Amino acid sequence: MTEETMSLDPARFEIGLDSFGENALDGDRVMTDAETVRLLVEEAQLAESVGLDVFSVGEHYRDGHNDSAAPVILAAAAQATSTIGLGTSVTVLSTQDPVRLYQEFATVDALSNGRTQLVLGRASAIESFPLFGYDIAEYEELFEEKLDLFMRLQREDAVTWSGRHRSALTETRLHPRMPEGGIPTWIGIGGSPDSVVRAARYGLPLMMAIIGGRPERFAGHAELYLRALQQFGHAELPIGQHSIGMVADTDDEARELYWGYWAPVFHQASLERGFPAPTPERYRQEVETGSLFVGSPETIARKIAFVARANHVSRFDLKYDLMHMPRAVRERSIRLLGDEVAPRVRELLAADGDARGQSGLPPARITADGKAVHA
């Protein structure tokens, strides 16, 4: 959001969209990769028009996903929009060059007039490791070293650095320049306590990817993060949540529609990762009490407000696309999220009055100048 827009309501709970660039249907036809990429830019425009706060793109390297060059998509979205924040739902830092990443996102930030941010992660899918010549056995070391360099590039004017996985730098000053201190950079986690502590050690906001089970079980991760921030001498920073789902006019419509797209995707994931195949009963549990945000605007708003309180979050991002979901269904979900869900969530949270979470303070959030403050 721009400074003017965000300053209107400093207590604004942020709601955004995440896309993995999955091929959509147009009628009965699967849209081409190129058409789907262009659709993402249209959906960023739509998200802005209905008042959503952030539009983010992931990074994957598999059939049916078209988000492998997120900075390019975000640069196009930057020119097609004027107020919405633009970011990544995860950037696989372990297989990126931090120097090039800085240059790409400094450029997107310039094109968007300061609306860019990042979520950095170690990768839940590993296709990028063989693709770019990295050893998966060095998964942890790669991320730690590259995070150190990337944050130094953001926070220092000229960087002298050496490591194992790229050439050394001597008094290097990159261009175009990011704003002083860099752009908002979150650490994405899927459940590892070590990743939670790492985010606190670097003084970076935390984005929790919760895609299965009861979302409130992550309250312990939020508590760990807030304690670790204190121990490392940092002020409280924002906590966000990424989950998947869809909004439709009624609960029955949403549940019936979404099952048809969710079941095949998670059946394939179960084969790849060795967890139980999806069943109608498991699906029902995930919708009713788990991490699937599938339902009518009122149902989704109440569920988001619940996790906002339970997990001390100030931002919720809905991953709204699934393989071969019709573009009209995606559009309806985006419109309902912005027009009906977002204002209802803020109404529900405002009704809590001075509700305080785990830290004894209202959740922190990032403002237009990239700084973190309490709402």
Side-chain angles (χ1 to χ4, degrees), residues 172-202:
T172 299
R173 192 172 190 271
L174 301 178
H175 295 276
R177 300 297 299 163
M178 285 186 180
E180 183 177 355
I183 63 175
T185 301
W186 304 62
I187 295 294
I189 66 126
S192 165
D194 289 342
S195 295
V196 173
V197 173
R198 179 188 288 113
R201 175 160 53 89
Y202 277 92

PDB file of all heavy atoms in Angstrom, residues 172-202:
ATOM      1  N   THR A 172      31.384  -3.868  -2.157  1.00  0.00           N
ATOM      2  CA  THR A 172      30.438  -3.920  -3.275  1.00  0.00           C
ATOM      3  C   THR A 172      29.186  -3.112  -2.948  1.00  0.00           C
ATOM      4  O   THR A 172      28.563  -3.309  -1.906  1.00  0.00           O
ATOM      5  CB  THR A 172      30.058  -5.372  -3.576  1.00  0.00           C
ATOM      6  OG1 THR A 172      31.255  -6.092  -3.932  1.00  0.00           O
ATOM      7  CG2 THR A 172      29.064  -5.447  -4.725  1.00  0.00           C
ATOM      8  N   ARG A 173      28.823  -2.241  -3.865  1.00  0.00           N
ATOM      9  CA  ARG A 173      27.617  -1.426  -3.719  1.00  0.00           C
ATOM     10  C   ARG A 173      26.752  -1.652  -4.953  1.00  0.00           C
ATOM     11  O   ARG A 173      27.156  -1.297  -6.073  1.00  0.00           O
ATOM     12  CB  ARG A 173      28.001   0.051  -3.582  1.00  0.00           C
ATOM     13  CG  ARG A 173      26.855   0.952  -3.138  1.00  0.00           C
ATOM     14  CD  ARG A 173      27.361   2.362  -2.830  1.00  0.00           C
ATOM     15  NE  ARG A 173      26.340   3.171  -2.174  1.00  0.00           N
ATOM     16  CZ  ARG A 173      25.446   3.922  -2.814  1.00  0.00           C
ATOM     17  NH1 ARG A 173      25.440   3.956  -4.141  1.00  0.00           N
ATOM     18  NH2 ARG A 173      24.553   4.620  -2.137  1.00  0.00           N
ATOM     19  N   LEU A 174      25.586  -2.258  -4.775  1.00  0.00           N
ATOM     20  CA  LEU A 174      24.767  -2.671  -5.906  1.00  0.00           C
ATOM     21  C   LEU A 174      23.834  -1.559  -6.364  1.00  0.00           C
ATOM     22  O   LEU A 174      23.483  -0.666  -5.594  1.00  0.00           O
ATOM     23  CB  LEU A 174      23.946  -3.907  -5.518  1.00  0.00           C
ATOM     24  CG  LEU A 174      24.757  -5.138  -5.071  1.00  0.00           C
ATOM     25  CD1 LEU A 174      23.805  -6.260  -4.674  1.00  0.00           C
ATOM     26  CD2 LEU A 174      25.698  -5.600  -6.180  1.00  0.00           C
ATOM     27  N   HIS A 175      23.396  -1.662  -7.624  1.00  0.00           N
ATOM     28  CA  HIS A 175      22.435  -0.718  -8.198  1.00  0.00           C
ATOM     29  C   HIS A 175      21.415  -1.503  -9.019  1.00  0.00           C
ATOM     30  O   HIS A 175      21.747  -2.539  -9.599  1.00  0.00           O
ATOM     31  CB  HIS A 175      23.153   0.293  -9.088  1.00  0.00           C
ATOM     32  CG  HIS A 175      24.092   1.183  -8.332  1.00  0.00           C
ATOM     33  ND1 HIS A 175      23.690   2.324  -7.687  1.00  0.00           N
ATOM     34  CD2 HIS A 175      25.420   1.057  -8.093  1.00  0.00           C
ATOM     35  CE1 HIS A 175      24.730   2.891  -7.103  1.00  0.00           C
ATOM     36  NE2 HIS A 175      25.789   2.133  -7.332  1.00  0.00           N
ATOM     37  N   PRO A 176      20.163  -1.001  -9.089  1.00  0.00           N
ATOM     38  CA  PRO A 176      19.658   0.181  -8.383  1.00  0.00           C
ATOM     39  C   PRO A 176      19.626  -0.046  -6.881  1.00  0.00           C
ATOM     40  O   PRO A 176      19.525  -1.186  -6.428  1.00  0.00           O
ATOM     41  CB  PRO A 176      18.247   0.365  -8.952  1.00  0.00           C
ATOM     42  CG  PRO A 176      17.840  -0.998  -9.402  1.00  0.00           C
ATOM     43  CD  PRO A 176      19.102  -1.667  -9.877  1.00  0.00           C
ATOM     44  N   ARG A 177      19.698   1.039  -6.114  1.00  0.00           N
ATOM     45  CA  ARG A 177      19.699   0.938  -4.672  1.00  0.00           C
ATOM     46  C   ARG A 177      18.290   0.686  -4.134  1.00  0.00           C
ATOM     47  O   ARG A 177      17.317   1.256  -4.626  1.00  0.00           O
ATOM     48  CB  ARG A 177      20.227   2.233  -4.030  1.00  0.00           C
ATOM     49  CG  ARG A 177      21.645   2.606  -4.413  1.00  0.00           C
ATOM     50  CD  ARG A 177      22.648   1.570  -3.968  1.00  0.00           C
ATOM     51  NE  ARG A 177      22.659   1.385  -2.514  1.00  0.00           N
ATOM     52  CZ  ARG A 177      23.203   0.314  -1.916  1.00  0.00           C
ATOM     53  NH1 ARG A 177      23.727  -0.666  -2.643  1.00  0.00           N
ATOM     54  NH2 ARG A 177      23.207   0.230  -0.607  1.00  0.00           N
ATOM     55  N   MET A 178      18.206  -0.171  -3.132  1.00  0.00           N
ATOM     56  CA  MET A 178      16.976  -0.266  -2.354  1.00  0.00           C
ATOM     57  C   MET A 178      16.907   0.932  -1.405  1.00  0.00           C
ATOM     58  O   MET A 178      17.915   1.610  -1.175  1.00  0.00           O
ATOM     59  CB  MET A 178      16.956  -1.561  -1.533  1.00  0.00           C
ATOM     60  CG  MET A 178      16.672  -2.820  -2.329  1.00  0.00           C
ATOM     61  SD  MET A 178      16.505  -4.245  -1.215  1.00  0.00           S
ATOM     62  CE  MET A 178      16.193  -5.547  -2.411  1.00  0.00           C
ATOM     63  N   PRO A 179      15.733   1.180  -0.821  1.00  0.00           N
ATOM     64  CA  PRO A 179      15.663   2.199   0.227  1.00  0.00           C
ATOM     65  C   PRO A 179      16.607   1.839   1.377  1.00  0.00           C
ATOM     66  O   PRO A 179      16.985   0.670   1.548  1.00  0.00           O
ATOM     67  CB  PRO A 179      14.208   2.154   0.685  1.00  0.00           C
ATOM     68  CG  PRO A 179      13.474   1.476  -0.414  1.00  0.00           C
ATOM     69  CD  PRO A 179      14.430   0.549  -1.070  1.00  0.00           C
ATOM     70  N   GLU A 180      17.002   2.803   2.158  1.00  0.00           N
ATOM     71  CA  GLU A 180      17.894   2.549   3.289  1.00  0.00           C
ATOM     72  C   GLU A 180      17.288   1.479   4.196  1.00  0.00           C
ATOM     73  O   GLU A 180      16.125   1.565   4.590  1.00  0.00           O
ATOM     74  CB  GLU A 180      18.112   3.827   4.094  1.00  0.00           C
ATOM     75  CG  GLU A 180      19.093   3.661   5.240  1.00  0.00           C
ATOM     76  CD  GLU A 180      19.342   4.953   5.986  1.00  0.00           C
ATOM     77  OE1 GLU A 180      18.826   6.002   5.550  1.00  0.00           O
ATOM     78  OE2 GLU A 180      20.044   4.918   7.021  1.00  0.00           O
ATOM     79  N   GLY A 181      18.064   0.465   4.500  1.00  0.00           N
ATOM     80  CA  GLY A 181      17.582  -0.645   5.323  1.00  0.00           C
ATOM     81  C   GLY A 181      16.934  -1.763   4.542  1.00  0.00           C
ATOM     82  O   GLY A 181      16.616  -2.812   5.098  1.00  0.00           O
ATOM     83  N   GLY A 182      16.715  -1.569   3.240  1.00  0.00           N
ATOM     84  CA  GLY A 182      16.140  -2.607   2.404  1.00  0.00           C
ATOM     85  C   GLY A 182      14.620  -2.555   2.341  1.00  0.00           C
ATOM     86  O   GLY A 182      13.988  -1.595   2.786  1.00  0.00           O
ATOM     87  N   ILE A 183      14.032  -3.581   1.769  1.00  0.00           N
ATOM     88  CA  ILE A 183      12.575  -3.686   1.655  1.00  0.00           C
ATOM     89  C   ILE A 183      12.075  -4.689   2.694  1.00  0.00           C
ATOM     90  O   ILE A 183      12.846  -5.505   3.200  1.00  0.00           O
ATOM     91  CB  ILE A 183      12.151  -4.120   0.240  1.00  0.00           C
ATOM     92  CG1 ILE A 183      12.692  -5.519  -0.093  1.00  0.00           C
ATOM     93  CG2 ILE A 183      12.625  -3.098  -0.800  1.00  0.00           C
ATOM     94  CD1 ILE A 183      12.218  -6.071  -1.416  1.00  0.00           C
ATOM     95  N   PRO A 184      10.771  -4.633   3.057  1.00  0.00           N
ATOM     96  CA  PRO A 184      10.257  -5.602   4.029  1.00  0.00           C
ATOM     97  C   PRO A 184      10.545  -7.033   3.582  1.00  0.00           C
ATOM     98  O   PRO A 184      10.207  -7.439   2.468  1.00  0.00           O
ATOM     99  CB  PRO A 184       8.756  -5.311   4.052  1.00  0.00           C
ATOM    100  CG  PRO A 184       8.661  -3.861   3.688  1.00  0.00           C
ATOM    101  CD  PRO A 184       9.742  -3.643   2.667  1.00  0.00           C
ATOM    102  N   THR A 185      11.213  -7.789   4.449  1.00  0.00           N
ATOM    103  CA  THR A 185      11.650  -9.148   4.136  1.00  0.00           C
ATOM    104  C   THR A 185      11.220 -10.065   5.269  1.00  0.00           C
ATOM    105  O   THR A 185      11.655  -9.906   6.409  1.00  0.00           O
ATOM    106  CB  THR A 185      13.176  -9.203   3.958  1.00  0.00           C
ATOM    107  OG1 THR A 185      13.566  -8.307   2.902  1.00  0.00           O
ATOM    108  CG2 THR A 185      13.638 -10.605   3.619  1.00  0.00           C
ATOM    109  N   TRP A 186      10.343 -11.001   4.960  1.00  0.00           N
ATOM    110  CA  TRP A 186       9.802 -11.941   5.927  1.00  0.00           C
ATOM    111  C   TRP A 186      10.529 -13.279   5.798  1.00  0.00           C
ATOM    112  O   TRP A 186      11.025 -13.626   4.724  1.00  0.00           O
ATOM    113  CB  TRP A 186       8.324 -12.193   5.687  1.00  0.00           C
ATOM    114  CG  TRP A 186       7.432 -10.997   5.667  1.00  0.00           C
ATOM    115  CD1 TRP A 186       7.478  -9.934   4.801  1.00  0.00           C
ATOM    116  CD2 TRP A 186       6.330 -10.733   6.558  1.00  0.00           C
ATOM    117  NE1 TRP A 186       6.481  -9.041   5.102  1.00  0.00           N
ATOM    118  CE2 TRP A 186       5.763  -9.496   6.167  1.00  0.00           C
ATOM    119  CE3 TRP A 186       5.778 -11.431   7.633  1.00  0.00           C
ATOM    120  CZ2 TRP A 186       4.659  -8.950   6.819  1.00  0.00           C
ATOM    121  CZ3 TRP A 186       4.679 -10.892   8.283  1.00  0.00           C
ATOM    122  CH2 TRP A 186       4.128  -9.661   7.889  1.00  0.00           C
ATOM    123  N   ILE A 187      10.564 -14.047   6.870  1.00  0.00           N
ATOM    124  CA  ILE A 187      11.016 -15.433   6.814  1.00  0.00           C
ATOM    125  C   ILE A 187       9.787 -16.333   6.843  1.00  0.00           C
ATOM    126  O   ILE A 187       8.950 -16.244   7.745  1.00  0.00           O
ATOM    127  CB  ILE A 187      11.942 -15.781   7.994  1.00  0.00           C
ATOM    128  CG1 ILE A 187      13.240 -14.975   7.916  1.00  0.00           C
ATOM    129  CG2 ILE A 187      12.252 -17.279   8.017  1.00  0.00           C
ATOM    130  CD1 ILE A 187      14.123 -15.302   6.726  1.00  0.00           C
ATOM    131  N   GLY A 188       9.676 -17.188   5.815  1.00  0.00           N
ATOM    132  CA  GLY A 188       8.572 -18.132   5.750  1.00  0.00           C
ATOM    133  C   GLY A 188       8.940 -19.430   6.436  1.00  0.00           C
ATOM    134  O   GLY A 188      10.041 -19.966   6.232  1.00  0.00           O
ATOM    135  N   ILE A 189       8.036 -19.957   7.246  1.00  0.00           N
ATOM    136  CA  ILE A 189       8.297 -21.212   7.951  1.00  0.00           C
ATOM    137  C   ILE A 189       7.128 -22.158   7.753  1.00  0.00           C
ATOM    138  O   ILE A 189       5.992 -21.740   7.593  1.00  0.00           O
ATOM    139  CB  ILE A 189       8.555 -20.981   9.461  1.00  0.00           C
ATOM    140  CG1 ILE A 189       7.288 -20.464  10.177  1.00  0.00           C
ATOM    141  CG2 ILE A 189       9.692 -20.015   9.665  1.00  0.00           C
ATOM    142  CD1 ILE A 189       6.876 -21.258  11.355  1.00  0.00           C
ATOM    143  N   GLY A 190       7.439 -23.453   7.761  1.00  0.00           N
ATOM    144  CA  GLY A 190       6.403 -24.463   7.650  1.00  0.00           C
ATOM    145  C   GLY A 190       6.183 -25.230   8.928  1.00  0.00           C
ATOM    146  O   GLY A 190       5.395 -26.169   8.966  1.00  0.00           O
ATOM    147  N   GLY A 191       6.917 -24.854   9.999  1.00  0.00           N
ATOM    148  CA  GLY A 191       6.735 -25.539  11.271  1.00  0.00           C
ATOM    149  C   GLY A 191       8.013 -25.786  12.040  1.00  0.00           C
ATOM    150  O   GLY A 191       7.969 -26.244  13.187  1.00  0.00           O
ATOM    151  N   SER A 192       9.167 -25.462  11.459  1.00  0.00           N
ATOM    152  CA  SER A 192      10.431 -25.717  12.133  1.00  0.00           C
ATOM    153  C   SER A 192      10.714 -24.658  13.195  1.00  0.00           C
ATOM    154  O   SER A 192      10.811 -23.473  12.883  1.00  0.00           O
ATOM    155  CB  SER A 192      11.580 -25.726  11.119  1.00  0.00           C
ATOM    156  OG  SER A 192      12.829 -25.636  11.780  1.00  0.00           O
ATOM    157  N   PRO A 193      10.899 -25.049  14.470  1.00  0.00           N
ATOM    158  CA  PRO A 193      11.272 -24.071  15.498  1.00  0.00           C
ATOM    159  C   PRO A 193      12.596 -23.370  15.191  1.00  0.00           C
ATOM    160  O   PRO A 193      12.770 -22.197  15.528  1.00  0.00           O
ATOM    161  CB  PRO A 193      11.355 -24.912  16.775  1.00  0.00           C
ATOM    162  CG  PRO A 193      10.484 -26.094  16.516  1.00  0.00           C
ATOM    163  CD  PRO A 193      10.639 -26.384  15.047  1.00  0.00           C
ATOM    164  N   ASP A 194      13.540 -24.087  14.561  1.00  0.00           N
ATOM    165  CA  ASP A 194      14.816 -23.466  14.211  1.00  0.00           C
ATOM    166  C   ASP A 194      14.613 -22.288  13.264  1.00  0.00           C
ATOM    167  O   ASP A 194      15.293 -21.259  13.380  1.00  0.00           O
ATOM    168  CB  ASP A 194      15.753 -24.486  13.559  1.00  0.00           C
ATOM    169  CG  ASP A 194      16.269 -25.525  14.542  1.00  0.00           C
ATOM    170  OD1 ASP A 194      16.194 -25.266  15.763  1.00  0.00           O
ATOM    171  OD2 ASP A 194      16.737 -26.575  14.097  1.00  0.00           O
ATOM    172  N   SER A 195      13.680 -22.430  12.330  1.00  0.00           N
ATOM    173  CA  SER A 195      13.398 -21.341  11.400  1.00  0.00           C
ATOM    174  C   SER A 195      12.754 -20.161  12.115  1.00  0.00           C
ATOM    175  O   SER A 195      12.995 -19.001  11.764  1.00  0.00           O
ATOM    176  CB  SER A 195      12.486 -21.834  10.272  1.00  0.00           C
ATOM    177  OG  SER A 195      13.131 -22.811   9.490  1.00  0.00           O
ATOM    178  N   VAL A 196      11.932 -20.442  13.119  1.00  0.00           N
ATOM    179  CA  VAL A 196      11.321 -19.381  13.914  1.00  0.00           C
ATOM    180  C   VAL A 196      12.402 -18.571  14.611  1.00  0.00           C
ATOM    181  O   VAL A 196      12.408 -17.331  14.584  1.00  0.00           O
ATOM    182  CB  VAL A 196      10.337 -19.973  14.944  1.00  0.00           C
ATOM    183  CG1 VAL A 196       9.834 -18.885  15.893  1.00  0.00           C
ATOM    184  CG2 VAL A 196       9.165 -20.644  14.240  1.00  0.00           C
ATOM    185  N   VAL A 197      13.332 -19.266  15.231  1.00  0.00           N
ATOM    186  CA  VAL A 197      14.410 -18.585  15.962  1.00  0.00           C
ATOM    187  C   VAL A 197      15.311 -17.826  14.996  1.00  0.00           C
ATOM    188  O   VAL A 197      15.772 -16.716  15.303  1.00  0.00           O
ATOM    189  CB  VAL A 197      15.207 -19.599  16.802  1.00  0.00           C
ATOM    190  CG1 VAL A 197      16.422 -18.939  17.437  1.00  0.00           C
ATOM    191  CG2 VAL A 197      14.307 -20.212  17.873  1.00  0.00           C
ATOM    192  N   ARG A 198      15.555 -18.389  13.815  1.00  0.00           N
ATOM    193  CA  ARG A 198      16.376 -17.683  12.826  1.00  0.00           C
ATOM    194  C   ARG A 198      15.744 -16.356  12.433  1.00  0.00           C
ATOM    195  O   ARG A 198      16.429 -15.332  12.338  1.00  0.00           O
ATOM    196  CB  ARG A 198      16.579 -18.555  11.590  1.00  0.00           C
ATOM    197  CG  ARG A 198      17.415 -17.862  10.504  1.00  0.00           C
ATOM    198  CD  ARG A 198      17.443 -18.646   9.213  1.00  0.00           C
ATOM    199  NE  ARG A 198      18.259 -19.837   9.318  1.00  0.00           N
ATOM    200  CZ  ARG A 198      17.791 -21.085   9.270  1.00  0.00           C
ATOM    201  NH1 ARG A 198      16.477 -21.286   9.130  1.00  0.00           N
ATOM    202  NH2 ARG A 198      18.605 -22.114   9.360  1.00  0.00           N
ATOM    203  N   ALA A 199      14.438 -16.351  12.199  1.00  0.00           N
ATOM    204  CA  ALA A 199      13.758 -15.101  11.850  1.00  0.00           C
ATOM    205  C   ALA A 199      13.951 -14.066  12.944  1.00  0.00           C
ATOM    206  O   ALA A 199      14.232 -12.889  12.670  1.00  0.00           O
ATOM    207  CB  ALA A 199      12.270 -15.357  11.623  1.00  0.00           C
ATOM    208  N   ALA A 200      13.835 -14.495  14.208  1.00  0.00           N
ATOM    209  CA  ALA A 200      14.016 -13.562  15.317  1.00  0.00           C
ATOM    210  C   ALA A 200      15.462 -13.083  15.398  1.00  0.00           C
ATOM    211  O   ALA A 200      15.726 -11.899  15.655  1.00  0.00           O
ATOM    212  CB  ALA A 200      13.611 -14.247  16.623  1.00  0.00           C
ATOM    213  N   ARG A 201      16.402 -13.976  15.164  1.00  0.00           N
ATOM    214  CA  ARG A 201      17.818 -13.589  15.250  1.00  0.00           C
ATOM    215  C   ARG A 201      18.163 -12.515  14.235  1.00  0.00           C
ATOM    216  O   ARG A 201      18.911 -11.580  14.535  1.00  0.00           O
ATOM    217  CB  ARG A 201      18.691 -14.842  15.043  1.00  0.00           C
ATOM    218  CG  ARG A 201      20.186 -14.568  14.985  1.00  0.00           C
ATOM    219  CD  ARG A 201      20.973 -15.843  15.278  1.00  0.00           C
ATOM    220  NE  ARG A 201      20.570 -16.944  14.444  1.00  0.00           N
ATOM    221  CZ  ARG A 201      21.098 -17.218  13.236  1.00  0.00           C
ATOM    222  NH1 ARG A 201      22.027 -16.418  12.712  1.00  0.00           N
ATOM    223  NH2 ARG A 201      20.684 -18.264  12.546  1.00  0.00           N
ATOM    224  N   TYR A 202      17.616 -12.621  13.043  1.00  0.00           N
ATOM    225  CA  TYR A 202      17.885 -11.620  12.007  1.00  0.00           C
ATOM    226  C   TYR A 202      16.981 -10.397  12.131  1.00  0.00           C
ATOM    227  O   TYR A 202      17.139  -9.439  11.380  1.00  0.00           O
ATOM    228  CB  TYR A 202      17.722 -12.244  10.620  1.00  0.00           C
ATOM    229  CG  TYR A 202      18.947 -12.985  10.146  1.00  0.00           C
ATOM    230  CD1 TYR A 202      19.086 -14.351  10.389  1.00  0.00           C
ATOM    231  CD2 TYR A 202      19.971 -12.330   9.472  1.00  0.00           C
ATOM    232  CE1 TYR A 202      20.214 -15.041   9.966  1.00  0.00           C
ATOM    233  CE2 TYR A 202      21.104 -13.007   9.038  1.00  0.00           C
ATOM    234  CZ  TYR A 202      21.222 -14.366   9.294  1.00  0.00           C
ATOM    235  OH  TYR A 202      22.342 -15.044   8.876  1.00  0.00           O
TER     236      TYR A 202
END
